[in-house]
Amino acid sequence: MSTDTADAQVRTIRVGLLGCGTVGGALVDMLGERGADIEARTGIRLEIGAIAVRSASKNRGGGATAGLLTTDARAVVADPDIDVIVEVIGGIEPARELILAALANRKPVITANKELLANCGQELADAAAEARVDLLFEAAAAAAIPIIRPLRESLLGEDVSRVMGIVNGTTNYILTQMTELGADYADALTEAQNLGYAERDPTADVEGYDAGAKAAIMASIAFGAKVAAGDVYHEGISNISAADIAFANRLGYQIKLLAIAERFGDGTDAAPYEIGVRVHPSMVVDDHPLASVRGSFNAVFVEGADAGELMFYGRGAGGRPTASAVLGDLIDAAGNRVRETYHPVPGGPAVPIRPIDDQSSAYYLNLEVADAPGVLAEVAGVFGAHGVSIRSMEQEGLDAEARLVFVTHEATERDIQSTLADLAALDAVHGVGTMLRVIS
Ligand code: NDP
Ligand code: HSE
């Protein structure tokens, strides 16, 4: 860190950038465009000191000049002339090792790496606390949408009961393209990759791992508890068909991949806290605010005892939206560095995780059955035997059979799964379609 002699008020903070792909490249561009304005507003000059990449020969353009590029990321985090590290490489290693080395060298770290935070967040938070420097990660939950800072600061005194949202831009883009344009799943995924929304391995997006990591991060902050990626139940969207979408729309719902983090109990001996975190495709009733979130947009719906319902909405993926959140964190960390302070990562005790079998929802089921007397009664009897109450039922004639579409009242996952197993075993049931949880 240095003080500019021409203007004693201006402090220069040298940034070590690890990764210069979709997000890192956008950050370099934005620093070039906004650096002077940031300096005028904060008195801090953000100067890129080095950029670590995998391939130094790739042509990157803009401010990522050859003189700044290096393939030696370890040297960047060890360089005494670098004040702050931004990690936008992704994945667990070498990102974990590099961040730990930076923190050990008392350099604040900004990262957008949800996979790493959800798997090793406690280790990184402990290292940041030990070094008394910032570890900031706004971009890791919902890219441009400010949700971490509101949860850790504005809502710190709130009794948050549920955080529920669309937190993966790739899957929301795919589902929107399938719903509105009848697009093919694979084509929509390719488009999402070309637009820079998808992870290096898009399985993380479409199978719900990415949303699960974000849910674990948000649950940890919202509930002041330790929640890791392995605590999250997840299902992805790769089994959702055009027919499922058409059924849902006809019934007045949109299919969305939701991440849901809930706190159960009231913290008393009689009802100790438990946390449930799950990611799955859901049928969201058309008039729910989350139903209208389209394309790569994300939204996070927070429910608190006193604040009531809050919704945070915006761009959940893409280079510049993500770099916008990274830049906000960078300015914050640079200011803290100048003032010699930091924001501790809020921590908390380990809270028991409620298994998915014990969590409840309403459900949508569709069955292909023999169109014969007594079949409906037999099917309804299976629901009743497992204590699952039917809220609505529709029958549609097929060629030689019938399709029954059910929406249930709230039931536990255990009861709905055993209902499904028994229904599938009936001779009169010829096919069990996709089961979806219903959010109204
Ligand atoms: P990219 O794959 O586009 O960029 C990764 C960058 O890291 C590349 O510049 C690559 O170098 C560099 N890199 C890879 N391995 C190394 C290494 N061992 N040492 C030094 N550099 C390395 O990823 P994104 O920019 O899309 O994502 C970065 C992070 O941001 C990830 O954690 C991601 O999950 C997160 N994120 C991304 C969002 C998005 O919309 N893209 C949104 C929110 C978060 P090279 O260029 O030479 O290949
Ligand atoms: N792959 C992620 C998504 C990037 O599609 O949402 C943003 O975290």
Side-chain angles (χ1 to χ4, degrees), residues 18-24 52-55 58 60 73 87-91 94 112-114 139 143 196-200 316-319 322:
L18 310 182
C20 192
T22 304
V23 180
V53 289
R54 199 170 21 192
S55 157
K58 215 187 256 183
R60 292 163 203 277
E87 183 275 312
V88 280
I89 290 176
N113 191 335
K114 48 268 157 117
Y197 304 151
E199 297 302 303
R200 212 178 305 162
T322 309

Side-chain angles (χ1 to χ4, degrees), residues 225-227 231 262-264 272-277 349-355:
K226 293 184 176 68
V227 181
D231 297 325
E262 287 175 280
R263 187 166 69 177
F264 306 103
Y273 286 131
E274 281 184 339
I275 290 175
V277 194
V351 173
I353 300 296
R354 182 175 284 193

Side-chain angles (χ1 to χ4, degrees), residues 196-213:
Y197 304 151
E199 297 302 303
R200 212 178 305 162
D201 174 1
T203 312
D205 296 296
V206 297
E207 296 305 342
Y209 294 99
D210 178 78

Side-chain angles (χ1 to χ4, degrees), residues 114 139 143 167-171 197-199 205 210 214 298 316-317:
K114 48 268 157 117
V167 290
N168 184 270
T170 301
T171 46
Y197 304 151
E199 297 302 303
D205 296 296
D210 178 78
K214 293 165 176 170
N298 282 190

Side-chain angles (χ1 to χ4, degrees), residues 158-197:
E158 180 59 38
D159 178 10
V160 174
S161 53
R162 183 159 77 158
V163 179
M164 172 169 81
I166 295 167
V167 290
N168 184 270
T170 301
T171 46
N172 206 46
Y173 181 83
I174 294 171
L175 291 171
T176 304
Q177 296 294 96
M178 289 173 74
T179 304
E180 295 182 5
L181 304 176
D184 175 69
Y185 171 88
D187 292 344
L189 172 57
T190 304
E191 282 176 41
Q193 289 177 289
N194 292 339
L195 289 165
Y197 304 151

Side-chain angles (χ1 to χ4, degrees), residues 105-118:
N105 290 327
R106 302 210 63 237
K107 296 185 201 300
V109 172
I110 292 96
T111 177
N113 191 335
K114 48 268 157 117
E115 184 186 358
L116 176 63
L117 288 161

